[in-house]
């Protein structure tokens, strides 16, 4: 059945850091969502999808996008290990080969769950006003979050904002990116006033007002519409200013951002939590747990030595990134030098596309290896999707593009560099883009940065990127088949 209308099993144990609930039975949907406990279970089920990394194959966003960029290669045991990753790495995707099926299914699952809970909240009569306002805002934020991924990955996608009736199942057509972005903006603008400025220690993982404003500003920047730069700057300034209402501040030590013991630190704005609480051990449905399997992916294969646990050898770091960072103070917190480890007595297997350099920011650390369940499925290492240095650089970019307040643009760029002891440089677009690569390396931003700034053909063309095609993934062929042509394939891909 088409992924966008598949019935989701919402009555499962969906545990998050801020709440752990295990329903004791199931109930008919029409009889559920009658009180705050049941509605809370529903909103948790929407949050749960953000953690998923194995829908339709391995589709963990951070390492996958690093492989698609010039930060990393695909890696693995050989070119046939994860052919969808290799296809994205060299831009040889087609409607049946590539990561598109899993990314499409994941995001539409999240959208379907958000639409369902919004419809139930609207009808519920026993919810307090404050509770209703907050969970409605969370559901709208999450729907926008999933659509932002879809529009960046696919461009023209079906825009679904309500629970579909049976006779609508196979009649979906695509909306333009402009229409999808308009809905994302609408959801985020309606969401952020209903969210709290800060999140209590017992609710970490829930969305705050600052996260929603940062997400909206990021969306506006990605639209490349100069008419929206003023609003973009205003939103970012609210998040970035000293003494902001959300408690955000750059950490003094760059490496501390990525320490798994330092979750939800003052630099983190949007963070996807992972834990080993579920002690998961089901290879048939890894998404049912809470761990970060991406961590297992990027570790050194059969590693034996200090500090690190063994991984599967995916996403070896390119020599291009190594050379860009080799004299930068952030190198040691970003990249593992495998040759240096070997010289100190460690061993590991050199796998496909090996460079002897590996991702460090989310690497499998022995100290955090789970002692319960299948360790490979239970890495408690979070994904930070938006952090303060990222928003500093996005605001600086917007300011330069708008020709507005160059002193503030320079102040923001300098702050990111000064944190790691680097001298001031002029606040030009090229300097800001270069700083983004070095500051945010291997965090999943680089590919979309290249696409939105028009640099992808120059940087990725030598490895297969094609203009007016590779910016987007192909639409999954199954979606085209079941809608009988209602959904059209993206340009450059043959059905």
């Amino acid at each position: 059945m088409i992924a966008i209308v598949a019935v989701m099993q919402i009555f499962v144990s969906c545990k998050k850091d801020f709440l752990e609930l295990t329903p004791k039975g199931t109930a008919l949907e029409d009889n559920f969502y009658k009180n705050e406990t049941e509605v809370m279970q529903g909103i948790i089920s929407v949050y749960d999808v953000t953690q998923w990394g194995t829908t339709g194959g391995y589709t963990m966003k951070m390492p996958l996008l690093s492989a698609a960029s010039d930060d990393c290669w695909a890696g693995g045991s050989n070119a046939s290990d994860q052919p969808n990753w290799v296809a994205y790495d060299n831009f040889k995707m087609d409607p049946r080969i590539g990561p598109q099926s899993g990314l499409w299914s994941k995001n539409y699952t999240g959208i379907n769950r958000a639409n369902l809970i919004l419809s139930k909240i609207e009808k519920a009569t026993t919810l307090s006003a404050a509770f209703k306002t907050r969970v409605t805002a969370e559901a709208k934020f999450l729907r926008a979050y999933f659509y932002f991924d879809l529009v960046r990955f696919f461009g023209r996608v079906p825009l679904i904002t309500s629970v579909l009736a049976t006779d609508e199942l196979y009649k979906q057509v695509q909306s333009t990116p402009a229409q999808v972005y308009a809905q994302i903006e609408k959801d985020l603008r309606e969401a952020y006033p209903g969210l709290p400025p800060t999140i209590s220690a017992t609710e970490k993982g829930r969305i705050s007002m600052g996260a929603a404003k940062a997400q909206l500003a990021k969306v506006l920047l990605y639209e490349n519409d100069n008419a929206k730069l003023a609003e973009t700057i205003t939103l970012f300034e609210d998040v970035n200013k000293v003494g902001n209402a959300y408690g955000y501040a750059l950490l003094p030590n760059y490496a501390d951002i990525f320490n798994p013991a330092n979750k939800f630190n003052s630099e983190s704005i949007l963070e996807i939590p992972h834990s080993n609480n579920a002690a998961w051990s089901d290879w048939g449905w890894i998404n049912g747990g809470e761990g970060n399997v991406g961590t297992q992916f990027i570790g050194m294969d059969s590693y034996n030595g200090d500090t690190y646990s063994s991984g599967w050898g995916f996403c070896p770091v390119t020599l291009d990134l190594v050379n860009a960072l080799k004299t930068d103070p952030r190198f040691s917190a970003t990249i593992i030098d495998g040759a240096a480890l070997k010289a100190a007595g460690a061993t590991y297997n050199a796998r496909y596309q090996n460079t002897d350099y590996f991702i460090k920011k989310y690497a499998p650390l022995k100290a955090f290896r789970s002692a319960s369940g299948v360790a490979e499925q239970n890495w408690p290492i979070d994904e930070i999707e938006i952090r303060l240095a990222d928003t500093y650089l996005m605001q600086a970019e917007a300011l330069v593009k708008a020709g507005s307040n160059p002193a503030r643009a320079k102040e923001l760029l300098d702050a990111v560099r000064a944190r790691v002891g680097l001298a001031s440089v002029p606040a030009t677009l090229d300097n800001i883009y270069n700083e983004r690569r070095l500051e945010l390396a291997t965090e999943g931003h680089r590919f979309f940065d290249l696409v939105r700034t028009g640099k992808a053909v120059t940087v990725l063309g030598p490895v297969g990127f094609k203009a007016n095609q590779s910016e987007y993934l192909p639409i999954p062929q199954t979606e085209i088949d079941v809608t009988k042509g209602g959904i059209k394939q993206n340009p450059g891909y043959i059905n």
Side-chain angles (χ1 to χ4, degrees), residues 73-102:
W73 300 107
S77 59
N78 54 56
S80 300
D81 191 341
Q82 290 295 323
N84 290 341
W85 285 53
V86 174
Y88 206 6
D89 188 22
N90 58 27
F91 303 103
K92 292 183 178 179
M93 302 87 70
D94 68 39
R96 293 176 175 82
I97 300 176
Q100 60 271 5
S101 177

Side-chain angles (χ1 to χ4, degrees), residues 8-11 27-43 45 113 116-117 119-121 123-127:
M8 302 307 158
Q9 298 301 313
I10 206 167
F11 301 108
L28 292 175
E29 180 191 305
D30 287 345
N31 296 326
F32 209 67
Y33 306 111
K34 300 298 186 184
N35 55 54
E36 293 186 0
T37 296
E38 293 172 352
V39 171
M40 196 67 219
Q41 289 183 42
I43 198 66
S45 78
R113 291 186 177 190
L116 177 60
I117 197 65
S119 72
K120 298 301 181 181
I121 293 170
K123 297 174 184 176
T125 59
T126 62
L127 309 180

